[in-house]
Amino acid sequence: MENTTIQDLIGIEHSKLNFFQELQQTIVELKASHEKSEAQRREFAAIFDGITDLMMVLSEDMRIISVNHVFMEIFPEGDPRGKYCYELFTGNNVPCPKCPAFQSLRYDKVSKETAIFRIGNRNMHFEMVSSPLKSPHLKEHQVVIFKRNVTMEKEYQAKFYQAEKMATMGVLAAGVAHEINNPLTAVSGFAEGIRRRIPKLEGHMDEKLIDDFKEYTDTILKECQRCQAIVQTLLTFSRPTKAAFQPVDINSVVEDTVRILQHHFKKRPGLTVVLQLQRGLPHIIGDEAQLKQVALNLLTNAVDAIEDNGTVTVTTDHAPETQGVRLMVQDTGCGIPEDKLNKLFEPFFTTKPVGKGIGIGLATCYSIVQEHEGDISITSALGEGTCFTVTLPQTQVGVHA
Amino acid sequence: MLVTKFAIPEIIFGKGSTKHLAQCARRLGARRVLLVSDAGLERAGWVSMIKGLLEEDLLDCVYFNNVDSNPRDHQVHEGAALYRESRADVIVGLGGGSPIDAAKGIATIVGNGGQIRDYEGANKIMRPLPPMIFIPSTAGSGSDMSQYSIITDVDRQVKMSIISRSLVPNLSIIDPTMLTTKTPELIIASAADALAHAVESYVSKAASPFTEHQALLAIRLILDNITEAAETRSLHALEQLSIASTAAGMSFSNAGLGIVHSLAHSIGARYDVLHGLVHPILLPVVMRFNLPATEKKMACIGKEVLGPRICSEHCLGEKGIDALHELFVRLGVTTRLRDILPTDSDIEAICRMAERDTCTITNPRQASWKDLIRICEEAW
């Protein structure tokens, strides 16, 4: 042997080992108990493998101690153990402020929270449940976190909310239209009657008075028509059933939407709304009611972003490099922080204060635009404003207006 | 002096001491003994005698005899399998170096698992071995005393040295009457082996006062009794050789050996010659090679061979070596390498392997494989 030395031969620190029988006995016992714990381990592993939620055991400082197979499917690369949870989920080097694990550790109770994480190239919505693992033989406390991927559920939930909202609005609009149309018909009918009878008054009355009557009746009729148009527009916003795609003029979509919001704008004296609609744009094939919802959402968001004074500019034009059209809604409001930009279109994600919105508007916009095979992009600068650009392709050869 | 250690087994010595075997085995927890021995001992009747002793005491006995001279690795594994299958407890080794080394190998595998080659080298054994009782029958190998087990690795053609304090048996029962059935040739070969143990461990780098004393005692007893034992097989002379072999075993187990054994292992691995035959050939040549490095001790050996002389240490050493050589010639044993090796074509390979042998470490003079070739040429 190469590296044996005289010291090895003398072997001061090596003695004849004894207790052979006892050791054999111990080995038998250890084997039995090892088999038992191995069986237990397999049982636990089977249970854990049956859990379809992502599962992690974390240390007090959010280091990953162990994970289950679902975790490995979502983060296939490398061994996660020893890494910090937040560096994998958010890419940050600080823990997330609303982490339920802290709640669990602090108050020693089960804690729940939902959050959106961008993993790979897609946003995932997780419902998280964390429960403390306190055990007398653990050096430090640990916490077990289950994360259920609820991205799909949230999308459907948002669609459902929106549909319900629009349906409610539809019922209201239909009711209003019905109730208002009847008196309006009477008013406009009688006004027509008066206008038809005015010639009979000629020669019996003062000319000036007759001219006044003419002007009044004309005004009454014009206003009646305007009312009817408003009611009609209201009805187009909320088709309870999905209409077939038809040629749509993007400019009339914008105009109708602005008409509905006119009252809303008037309450904001510091707000200026500028329309820059390019005429002669090709019609695109789409669902008018749904596109109006998009415009409505973008406009209300733009108005909400402006605190006191500011301008909302709505622009339509030819989409560059395609046959389609573009709709741009630009505000001079507060802007959106960069870290929130990629979550804007997630259902139930909102930057608005509580009571101002539940975060389904842009999610709805996104899914509508996707159905039209278009896309939405955002540019935003904090404190300067935000611009949403919707590009809609001409899926079929449009008809020029 | 190095910090040293002197470890030996419990020893029961004396004519007829084998009759204590059964009770000693019981003390070690025996209910079913694995007896390891070989065909020669069967023919001499010793195996049935030992079996009888165990049966008389109502101890079960499982017998394993597939042991060659120079025991093989696969035989060790076979014996370990038998031990496990038969649920034996205490291992009794009966015979010369081969059955006892095989018994040590079996015990190693039983206690530690794996392959015997896993334990080649020093202090590789990490778990206790089953209790071992050895009954030496040759007064030569000293294996019943030592922490060494030499097993041949068939694939690599290497005689592996396994060194561990755990290989020292719990008990060695030395009964000189065992020697009465031996042929004179075997008596001489065994005594030559014991003498080589004594001389090599005496001049070893790791020698200590405790081993030196035993080594000199062994040298003296062998020189005084070898001729009588070979010629008349008197029980007294055989008893003295037993004492010598035991003392030499105590010495080399703790002090190590030298290049006589390195070469003997290397030759034995290749040609399977009887270990004891190689020593009379190599011992005087190696002593001459070592003389410059250890003149004082060689002079002491010379004094044992020749009695007190008034000359320089170097001269006394040389004269002692010459006298030893003459003794071997007188005893009629082979003193040329050419008589036991079929060809000299493997000398270089043999010496290269011997250079790596554990025994080379403690040789008093540094020896490269080229030095070993010169030694072999001188002995050719």
Side-chain angles (χ1 to χ4, degrees):
Chain A
M1 296 302 285
E2 257 80 7
N3 29 21
T4 312
T5 63
I6 292 184
Q7 293 297 352
D8 292 329
L9 296 181
I10 294 172
I12 299 289
E13 60 280 350
H14 296 274
S15 304
K16 182 171 173 62
L17 300 163
N18 291 312
F19 307 108
F20 171 78
Q21 303 284 17
E22 292 81 349
L23 183 80
Q24 295 301 318
Q25 187 57 37
T26 314
I27 287 174
V28 169
E29 284 165 14
L30 279 175
K31 268 191 178 144
S33 81
H34 170 76
E35 270 163 26
K36 216 152 104 185
S37 50
E38 180 60 16
Q40 236 169 7
R41 191 194 64 78
R42 276 198 296 268
E43 195 180 320
F44 281 130
I47 291 170
F48 283 136
D49 285 348
I51 293 171
T52 53
D53 295 356
L54 182 153
M55 197 190 99
M56 300 184 289
V57 178
L58 302 178
S59 64
E60 277 181 13
D61 60 351
M62 300 297 118
R63 272 182 193 279
I64 294 172
I65 294 168
S66 63
V67 298
N68 72 340
H69 66 109
V70 181
F71 183 101
M72 295 316 292
E73 283 158 22
I74 292 179
F75 296 102
E77 58 281 325
D79 186 354
R81 281 173 301 188
K83 291 185 178 159
Y84 289 103
C85 159
Y86 45 81
E87 62 182 315
L88 285 170
F89 278 93
T90 64
N92 296 340
N93 47 14
V94 287
C96 317
K98 287 168 91 175
C99 183
F102 289 136
Q103 300 291 324
S104 287
L105 287 168
R106 187 173 309 151
Y107 301 114
D108 201 11
K109 63 178 176 87
V110 174
S111 152
K112 294 180 182 172
E113 190 61 61
T114 63
I116 297 165
F117 297 110
R118 190 166 185 81
I119 294 163
N121 276 328
R122 55 206 189 106
N123 288 335
M124 287 179 149
H125 209 124
F126 285 106
E127 241 166 35
M128 303 179 285
V129 178
S130 76
S131 49
L133 277 183
K134 288 197 174 175
S135 153
H137 59 259
L138 283 177
K139 284 197 301 292
E140 55 162 12
H141 296 319
Q142 294 178 349
V143 64
V144 60
I145 294 193
F146 290 89
K147 295 194 178 193
R148 174 168 300 182
N149 184 351
V150 292
T151 315
M152 292 280 286
E153 287 94 320
K154 289 286 173 190
E155 272 173 24
Y156 285 124
Q157 211 176 357
K159 278 186 177 157
F160 170 75
Y161 271 31
Q162 178 70 8
E164 186 150 39
K165 210 167 72 176
M166 295 325 280
T168 311
M169 202 176 118
V171 171
L172 270 175
V176 166
H178 181 74
E179 291 297 333
I180 284 181
N181 269 344
N182 284 346
L184 274 182
T185 312
V187 170
S188 66
F190 287 121
E192 280 278 354
I194 290 172
R195 206 167 60 171
R196 274 207 307 276
R197 285 169 176 73
I198 282 176
K200 291 183 182 174
L201 296 177
E202 282 177 9
H204 301 277
M205 285 175 80
D206 178 16
E207 271 309 308
K208 193 151 179 331
L209 194 61
I210 289 174
D211 283 348
D212 282 350
F213 279 168
K214 266 189 188 159
E215 192 189 329
Y216 294 166
T217 48
D218 283 352
T219 307
I220 290 170
L221 282 170
K222 204 163 76 202
E223 291 300 315
C224 277
Q225 275 159 5
R226 205 157 76 90
C227 282
Q228 277 164 331
I230 286 177
V231 168
Q232 221 39 58
T233 315
L234 203 54
L235 283 171
T236 60
F237 264 92
S238 53
R239 289 247 173 65
T241 52
K242 208 172 155 187
F245 275 29
Q246 285 164 345
V248 179
D249 176 11
I250 194 76
N251 288 337
S252 64
V253 166
V254 175
E255 281 158 352
D256 283 354
T257 311
V258 170
R259 185 180 304 134
I260 290 285
L261 288 171
Q262 204 68 52
H263 171 72
H264 187 62
F265 295 156
K266 278 185 186 141
K267 286 196 302 195
R268 302 280 304 269
L271 178 76
T272 321
V273 179
V274 180
L275 297 187
Q276 297 176 329
L277 307 183
Q278 188 175 341
R279 296 294 156 192
L281 287 176
H283 284 189
I284 53 156
I285 303 297
D287 181 336
E288 190 171 6
Q290 286 201 325
L291 290 173
K292 280 180 182 170
Q293 284 177 39
V294 173
L296 185 75
N297 271 315
L298 294 181
L299 272 164
T300 47
N301 280 350
V303 173
D304 286 346
I306 291 167
E307 281 200 21
D308 299 322
N309 301 325
T311 310
V312 175
T313 312
V314 186
T315 313
T316 58
D317 62 2
H318 284 282
E321 297 161 25
T322 64
Q323 293 285 302
V325 295
R326 265 199 319 187
L327 162 66
M328 282 175 283
V329 179
Q330 190 155 12
D331 65 64
T332 56
C334 55
I336 304 162
E338 191 162 347
D339 60 327
K340 301 230 167 93
L341 276 181
N342 60 24
K343 294 182 187 162
L344 282 186
F345 298 113
E346 293 304 316
F348 303 100
F349 177 86
T350 181
T351 60
K352 293 180 185 180
V354 176
K356 280 276 179 185
I358 57 166
I360 62 168
L362 281 175
T364 307
C365 287
Y366 187 76
S367 63
I368 290 172
V369 172
Q370 264 195 322
E371 278 168 25
H372 285 77
E373 291 175 26
D375 78 343
I376 302 187
S377 63
I378 323 167
T379 51
S380 181
L382 266 185
E384 289 176 32
T386 307
C387 177
F388 281 85
T389 306
V390 178
T391 309
L392 294 164
Q394 226 191 341
T395 40
Q396 293 166 33
V397 179
V399 186
H400 281 272
Chain B
M1 194 177 86
L2 290 165
V3 175
T4 189
K5 183 169 187 169
F6 190 79
I8 54 169
E10 199 172 290
I11 299 165
I12 297 179
F13 186 94
K15 295 189 278 285
S17 53
T18 37
K19 67 172 182 287
H20 298 286
L21 170 65
Q23 71 184 82
C24 291
R26 273 203 186 286
R27 267 209 305 276
L28 291 170
R31 279 193 293 276
R32 181 172 298 162
V33 169
L34 178 74
L35 176 63
V36 182
S37 192
D38 64 17
L41 276 284
E42 285 170 41
R43 281 195 298 276
W46 296 116
V47 172
S48 49
M49 190 271 277
I50 296 291
K51 278 184 177 172
L53 281 175
L54 294 169
E55 276 162 27
E56 225 170 280
D57 215 86
L58 303 177
L59 281 169
D60 286 351
C61 174
V62 182
Y63 181 53
F64 180 73
N65 70 344
N66 186 8
V67 180
D68 290 334
S69 156
N70 301 324
R72 318 281 196 260
D73 47 6
H74 58 86
Q75 293 170 331
V76 165
H77 296 146
E78 204 179 307
L82 177 65
Y83 177 100
R84 285 202 194 98
E85 283 159 25
S86 56
R87 308 184 81 112
D89 33 50
V90 173
I91 297 183
V92 173
L94 166 71
S98 302
I100 289 181
D101 276 358
K104 287 180 176 186
I106 290 168
T108 303
I109 299 298
V110 165
N112 293 261
Q115 301 284 316
I116 194 67
R117 72 175 54 166
D118 303 343
Y119 304 101
E120 186 182 4
N123 309 319
K124 298 275 169 63
I125 294 175
M126 293 301 166
R127 290 199 203 145
L129 274 47
M132 295 181 282
I133 301 176
F134 295 151
I135 304 169
S137 67
T138 56
S141 75
S143 184
D144 58 296
M145 285 291 125
S146 79
Q147 60 161 339
Y148 289 73
S149 172
I150 312 293
I151 307 286
T152 304
D153 183 328
V154 177
D155 293 346
R156 289 187 298 152
Q157 280 204 343
V158 176
K159 273 191 132 180
M160 300 180 288
S161 300
I162 299 159
I163 306 155
S164 166
R165 294 285 175 195
S166 290
L167 292 176
V168 175
N170 302 60
L171 173 66
S172 181
I173 300 176
I174 303 154
D175 185 345
T177 49
M178 284 270 173
L179 307 179
T180 51
T181 55
K182 281 170 54 175
T183 58
E185 290 76 28
L186 195 53
I187 290 175
I188 292 166
S190 308
D193 190 10
L195 183 62
H197 291 155
V199 170
E200 289 220 284
S201 63
Y202 179 65
V203 298
S204 153
K205 281 184 181 170
S208 74
F210 313 102
T211 65
E212 286 162 0
H213 185 77
Q214 300 293 340
L216 283 177
L217 170 69
I219 293 169
R220 194 178 316 138
L221 288 173
I222 292 167
L223 291 171
D224 290 352
N225 294 285
I226 188 166
T227 315
E228 191 189 338
E231 285 171 3
T232 68
R233 283 200 256 175
S234 82
L235 195 49
H236 175 265
L238 292 174
E239 190 175 31
Q240 299 309 300
L241 287 185
S242 277
I243 297 167
S245 163
T246 305
M250 290 180 192
S251 174
F252 90 80
S253 174
N254 291 290
L257 294 159
I259 52 179
V260 172
H261 274 81
S262 307
L263 285 164
H265 291 158
S266 197
I267 291 166
R270 197 167 282 265
Y271 295 115
D272 204 20
V273 291
L274 184 68
H275 182 70
L277 287 181
V278 186
H279 301 110
I281 299 166
L282 290 175
L283 188 61
V285 183
V286 169
M287 285 171 82
R288 270 193 203 97
F289 172 81
N290 283 335
L291 181 59
T294 176
E295 278 180 353
K296 197 180 177 71
K297 281 188 171 178
M298 285 296 182
C300 291
I301 295 172
K303 214 182 292 174
E304 292 297 339
V305 180
L306 303 164
R309 288 282 176 101
I310 299 186
C311 64
S312 74
E313 284 177 345
H314 186 87
C315 151
L316 188 51
E318 275 193 330
K319 285 196 180 336
I321 295 166
D322 293 341
L324 262 187
H325 179 71
E326 281 157 25
L327 169 70
F328 289 135
V329 173
R330 236 188 356 264
L331 289 169
V333 292
T334 315
T335 54
R336 307 303 319 175
L337 211 46
R338 72 171 82 100
D339 299 333
I340 59 164
L341 297 192
T343 159
D344 64 349
S345 59
D346 291 336
I347 291 286
E348 186 181 321
I350 286 171
C351 293
R352 279 176 181 274
M353 192 192 285
E355 185 187 34
R356 291 199 302 271
D357 192 282
T358 323
C359 296
T360 310
I361 301 166
T362 41
N363 196 64
R365 183 175 167 190
Q366 183 98 35
S368 70
W369 60 271
K370 288 179 178 153
D371 296 326
L372 296 178
I373 286 181
R374 272 195 295 281
I375 287 166
C376 289
E377 282 166 352
E378 200 179 324
W380 189 255

PDB file of all heavy atoms in Angstrom, chain B residues 73-91:
ATOM      1  N   ASP B  73      -8.808 -14.941  -1.808  1.00  0.00           N
ATOM      2  CA  ASP B  73      -9.925 -14.055  -1.439  1.00  0.00           C
ATOM      3  C   ASP B  73     -11.279 -14.748  -1.536  1.00  0.00           C
ATOM      4  O   ASP B  73     -12.126 -14.618  -0.661  1.00  0.00           O
ATOM      5  CB  ASP B  73      -9.916 -12.773  -2.301  1.00  0.00           C
ATOM      6  CG  ASP B  73      -9.719 -13.058  -3.787  1.00  0.00           C
ATOM      7  OD1 ASP B  73      -9.698 -14.247  -4.161  1.00  0.00           O
ATOM      8  OD2 ASP B  73      -9.597 -12.091  -4.560  1.00  0.00           O
ATOM      9  N   HIS B  74     -11.483 -15.549  -2.635  1.00  0.00           N
ATOM     10  CA  HIS B  74     -12.813 -16.158  -2.796  1.00  0.00           C
ATOM     11  C   HIS B  74     -13.069 -17.207  -1.725  1.00  0.00           C
ATOM     12  O   HIS B  74     -14.217 -17.433  -1.330  1.00  0.00           O
ATOM     13  CB  HIS B  74     -12.975 -16.750  -4.202  1.00  0.00           C
ATOM     14  CG  HIS B  74     -11.951 -17.785  -4.546  1.00  0.00           C
ATOM     15  ND1 HIS B  74     -12.104 -19.111  -4.219  1.00  0.00           N
ATOM     16  CD2 HIS B  74     -10.756 -17.666  -5.179  1.00  0.00           C
ATOM     17  CE1 HIS B  74     -11.033 -19.768  -4.659  1.00  0.00           C
ATOM     18  NE2 HIS B  74     -10.205 -18.924  -5.220  1.00  0.00           N
ATOM     19  N   GLN B  75     -11.983 -17.839  -1.216  1.00  0.00           N
ATOM     20  CA  GLN B  75     -12.183 -18.813  -0.137  1.00  0.00           C
ATOM     21  C   GLN B  75     -12.664 -18.110   1.133  1.00  0.00           C
ATOM     22  O   GLN B  75     -13.518 -18.617   1.854  1.00  0.00           O
ATOM     23  CB  GLN B  75     -10.867 -19.552   0.133  1.00  0.00           C
ATOM     24  CG  GLN B  75     -10.466 -20.437  -1.039  1.00  0.00           C
ATOM     25  CD  GLN B  75      -9.063 -20.995  -0.908  1.00  0.00           C
ATOM     26  OE1 GLN B  75      -8.185 -20.383  -0.301  1.00  0.00           O
ATOM     27  NE2 GLN B  75      -8.850 -22.169  -1.489  1.00  0.00           N
ATOM     28  N   VAL B  76     -12.096 -16.927   1.375  1.00  0.00           N
ATOM     29  CA  VAL B  76     -12.516 -16.135   2.538  1.00  0.00           C
ATOM     30  C   VAL B  76     -14.003 -15.788   2.440  1.00  0.00           C
ATOM     31  O   VAL B  76     -14.761 -15.951   3.397  1.00  0.00           O
ATOM     32  CB  VAL B  76     -11.656 -14.842   2.614  1.00  0.00           C
ATOM     33  CG1 VAL B  76     -12.282 -13.831   3.548  1.00  0.00           C
ATOM     34  CG2 VAL B  76     -10.245 -15.192   3.075  1.00  0.00           C
ATOM     35  N   HIS B  77     -14.437 -15.359   1.235  1.00  0.00           N
ATOM     36  CA  HIS B  77     -15.845 -14.990   1.062  1.00  0.00           C
ATOM     37  C   HIS B  77     -16.752 -16.198   1.256  1.00  0.00           C
ATOM     38  O   HIS B  77     -17.837 -16.083   1.834  1.00  0.00           O
ATOM     39  CB  HIS B  77     -16.069 -14.369  -0.323  1.00  0.00           C
ATOM     40  CG  HIS B  77     -15.332 -13.077  -0.502  1.00  0.00           C
ATOM     41  ND1 HIS B  77     -14.803 -12.667  -1.694  1.00  0.00           N
ATOM     42  CD2 HIS B  77     -15.014 -12.109   0.394  1.00  0.00           C
ATOM     43  CE1 HIS B  77     -14.202 -11.500  -1.544  1.00  0.00           C
ATOM     44  NE2 HIS B  77     -14.313 -11.138  -0.280  1.00  0.00           N
ATOM     45  N   GLU B  78     -16.254 -17.333   0.764  1.00  0.00           N
ATOM     46  CA  GLU B  78     -17.017 -18.579   0.918  1.00  0.00           C
ATOM     47  C   GLU B  78     -17.189 -18.911   2.401  1.00  0.00           C
ATOM     48  O   GLU B  78     -18.275 -19.269   2.848  1.00  0.00           O
ATOM     49  CB  GLU B  78     -16.214 -19.694   0.228  1.00  0.00           C
ATOM     50  CG  GLU B  78     -16.999 -20.873  -0.237  1.00  0.00           C
ATOM     51  CD  GLU B  78     -16.038 -21.862  -0.911  1.00  0.00           C
ATOM     52  OE1 GLU B  78     -15.293 -21.446  -1.833  1.00  0.00           O
ATOM     53  OE2 GLU B  78     -16.003 -23.017  -0.474  1.00  0.00           O
ATOM     54  N   GLY B  79     -16.095 -18.809   3.158  1.00  0.00           N
ATOM     55  CA  GLY B  79     -16.141 -19.110   4.594  1.00  0.00           C
ATOM     56  C   GLY B  79     -17.083 -18.159   5.331  1.00  0.00           C
ATOM     57  O   GLY B  79     -17.836 -18.583   6.214  1.00  0.00           O
ATOM     58  N   ALA B  80     -17.056 -16.867   4.922  1.00  0.00           N
ATOM     59  CA  ALA B  80     -17.927 -15.890   5.578  1.00  0.00           C
ATOM     60  C   ALA B  80     -19.389 -16.218   5.305  1.00  0.00           C
ATOM     61  O   ALA B  80     -20.249 -16.103   6.189  1.00  0.00           O
ATOM     62  CB  ALA B  80     -17.605 -14.481   5.079  1.00  0.00           C
ATOM     63  N   ALA B  81     -19.662 -16.674   4.056  1.00  0.00           N
ATOM     64  CA  ALA B  81     -21.042 -17.054   3.716  1.00  0.00           C
ATOM     65  C   ALA B  81     -21.484 -18.231   4.576  1.00  0.00           C
ATOM     66  O   ALA B  81     -22.613 -18.257   5.080  1.00  0.00           O
ATOM     67  CB  ALA B  81     -21.134 -17.407   2.235  1.00  0.00           C
ATOM     68  N   LEU B  82     -20.566 -19.208   4.761  1.00  0.00           N
ATOM     69  CA  LEU B  82     -20.895 -20.378   5.586  1.00  0.00           C
ATOM     70  C   LEU B  82     -21.183 -19.946   7.026  1.00  0.00           C
ATOM     71  O   LEU B  82     -22.129 -20.430   7.658  1.00  0.00           O
ATOM     72  CB  LEU B  82     -19.736 -21.379   5.549  1.00  0.00           C
ATOM     73  CG  LEU B  82     -19.926 -22.623   6.421  1.00  0.00           C
ATOM     74  CD1 LEU B  82     -21.092 -23.467   5.915  1.00  0.00           C
ATOM     75  CD2 LEU B  82     -18.657 -23.461   6.463  1.00  0.00           C
ATOM     76  N   TYR B  83     -20.366 -19.015   7.533  1.00  0.00           N
ATOM     77  CA  TYR B  83     -20.563 -18.521   8.906  1.00  0.00           C
ATOM     78  C   TYR B  83     -21.972 -17.950   9.049  1.00  0.00           C
ATOM     79  O   TYR B  83     -22.686 -18.254   9.998  1.00  0.00           O
ATOM     80  CB  TYR B  83     -19.523 -17.433   9.216  1.00  0.00           C
ATOM     81  CG  TYR B  83     -19.664 -16.792  10.583  1.00  0.00           C
ATOM     82  CD1 TYR B  83     -18.857 -17.191  11.642  1.00  0.00           C
ATOM     83  CD2 TYR B  83     -20.591 -15.771  10.809  1.00  0.00           C
ATOM     84  CE1 TYR B  83     -18.978 -16.601  12.891  1.00  0.00           C
ATOM     85  CE2 TYR B  83     -20.718 -15.174  12.053  1.00  0.00           C
ATOM     86  CZ  TYR B  83     -19.908 -15.594  13.094  1.00  0.00           C
ATOM     87  OH  TYR B  83     -20.032 -15.007  14.330  1.00  0.00           O
ATOM     88  N   ARG B  84     -22.368 -17.126   8.063  1.00  0.00           N
ATOM     89  CA  ARG B  84     -23.684 -16.481   8.147  1.00  0.00           C
ATOM     90  C   ARG B  84     -24.807 -17.501   8.021  1.00  0.00           C
ATOM     91  O   ARG B  84     -25.765 -17.474   8.798  1.00  0.00           O
ATOM     92  CB  ARG B  84     -23.821 -15.439   7.029  1.00  0.00           C
ATOM     93  CG  ARG B  84     -23.021 -14.185   7.316  1.00  0.00           C
ATOM     94  CD  ARG B  84     -23.561 -13.005   6.522  1.00  0.00           C
ATOM     95  NE  ARG B  84     -22.590 -11.919   6.550  1.00  0.00           N
ATOM     96  CZ  ARG B  84     -21.729 -11.681   5.569  1.00  0.00           C
ATOM     97  NH1 ARG B  84     -21.727 -12.442   4.496  1.00  0.00           N
ATOM     98  NH2 ARG B  84     -20.870 -10.691   5.658  1.00  0.00           N
ATOM     99  N   GLU B  85     -24.663 -18.388   6.992  1.00  0.00           N
ATOM    100  CA  GLU B  85     -25.730 -19.374   6.769  1.00  0.00           C
ATOM    101  C   GLU B  85     -25.943 -20.249   7.979  1.00  0.00           C
ATOM    102  O   GLU B  85     -27.069 -20.553   8.362  1.00  0.00           O
ATOM    103  CB  GLU B  85     -25.380 -20.267   5.571  1.00  0.00           C
ATOM    104  CG  GLU B  85     -25.613 -19.586   4.234  1.00  0.00           C
ATOM    105  CD  GLU B  85     -24.811 -20.259   3.134  1.00  0.00           C
ATOM    106  OE1 GLU B  85     -24.491 -21.461   3.283  1.00  0.00           O
ATOM    107  OE2 GLU B  85     -24.494 -19.577   2.146  1.00  0.00           O
ATOM    108  N   SER B  86     -24.822 -20.677   8.576  1.00  0.00           N
ATOM    109  CA  SER B  86     -24.960 -21.632   9.680  1.00  0.00           C
ATOM    110  C   SER B  86     -25.182 -20.918  11.011  1.00  0.00           C
ATOM    111  O   SER B  86     -25.292 -21.565  12.043  1.00  0.00           O
ATOM    112  CB  SER B  86     -23.703 -22.493   9.755  1.00  0.00           C
ATOM    113  OG  SER B  86     -22.578 -21.657   9.891  1.00  0.00           O
ATOM    114  N   ARG B  87     -25.237 -19.596  10.974  1.00  0.00           N
ATOM    115  CA  ARG B  87     -25.456 -18.780  12.177  1.00  0.00           C
ATOM    116  C   ARG B  87     -24.459 -19.152  13.269  1.00  0.00           C
ATOM    117  O   ARG B  87     -24.826 -19.379  14.423  1.00  0.00           O
ATOM    118  CB  ARG B  87     -26.887 -18.944  12.687  1.00  0.00           C
ATOM    119  CG  ARG B  87     -27.924 -18.722  11.616  1.00  0.00           C
ATOM    120  CD  ARG B  87     -29.290 -18.789  12.189  1.00  0.00           C
ATOM    121  NE  ARG B  87     -29.614 -17.518  12.813  1.00  0.00           N
ATOM    122  CZ  ARG B  87     -30.552 -16.693  12.330  1.00  0.00           C
ATOM    123  NH1 ARG B  87     -31.197 -17.011  11.242  1.00  0.00           N
ATOM    124  NH2 ARG B  87     -30.834 -15.566  12.949  1.00  0.00           N
ATOM    125  N   ALA B  88     -23.193 -19.220  12.847  1.00  0.00           N
ATOM    126  CA  ALA B  88     -22.139 -19.534  13.809  1.00  0.00           C
ATOM    127  C   ALA B  88     -21.874 -18.306  14.674  1.00  0.00           C
ATOM    128  O   ALA B  88     -22.385 -17.218  14.400  1.00  0.00           O
ATOM    129  CB  ALA B  88     -20.877 -19.944  13.068  1.00  0.00           C
ATOM    130  N   ASP B  89     -21.078 -18.473  15.736  1.00  0.00           N
ATOM    131  CA  ASP B  89     -20.725 -17.321  16.551  1.00  0.00           C
ATOM    132  C   ASP B  89     -19.210 -17.168  16.686  1.00  0.00           C
ATOM    133  O   ASP B  89     -18.635 -16.265  16.117  1.00  0.00           O
ATOM    134  CB  ASP B  89     -21.432 -17.372  17.920  1.00  0.00           C
ATOM    135  CG  ASP B  89     -21.608 -18.793  18.405  1.00  0.00           C
ATOM    136  OD1 ASP B  89     -20.601 -19.541  18.394  1.00  0.00           O
ATOM    137  OD2 ASP B  89     -22.735 -19.149  18.803  1.00  0.00           O
ATOM    138  N   VAL B  90     -18.560 -18.066  17.401  1.00  0.00           N
ATOM    139  CA  VAL B  90     -17.112 -17.949  17.600  1.00  0.00           C
ATOM    140  C   VAL B  90     -16.372 -18.645  16.462  1.00  0.00           C
ATOM    141  O   VAL B  90     -16.814 -19.683  15.973  1.00  0.00           O
ATOM    142  CB  VAL B  90     -16.720 -18.565  18.964  1.00  0.00           C
ATOM    143  CG1 VAL B  90     -15.205 -18.604  19.125  1.00  0.00           C
ATOM    144  CG2 VAL B  90     -17.353 -17.755  20.098  1.00  0.00           C
ATOM    145  N   ILE B  91     -15.262 -18.041  16.012  1.00  0.00           N
ATOM    146  CA  ILE B  91     -14.448 -18.661  14.966  1.00  0.00           C
ATOM    147  C   ILE B  91     -13.209 -19.279  15.613  1.00  0.00           C
ATOM    148  O   ILE B  91     -12.496 -18.607  16.372  1.00  0.00           O
ATOM    149  CB  ILE B  91     -14.026 -17.630  13.908  1.00  0.00           C
ATOM    150  CG1 ILE B  91     -15.269 -17.079  13.206  1.00  0.00           C
ATOM    151  CG2 ILE B  91     -13.071 -18.249  12.897  1.00  0.00           C
ATOM    152  CD1 ILE B  91     -14.989 -16.106  12.091  1.00  0.00           C
TER     153      ILE B  91
END
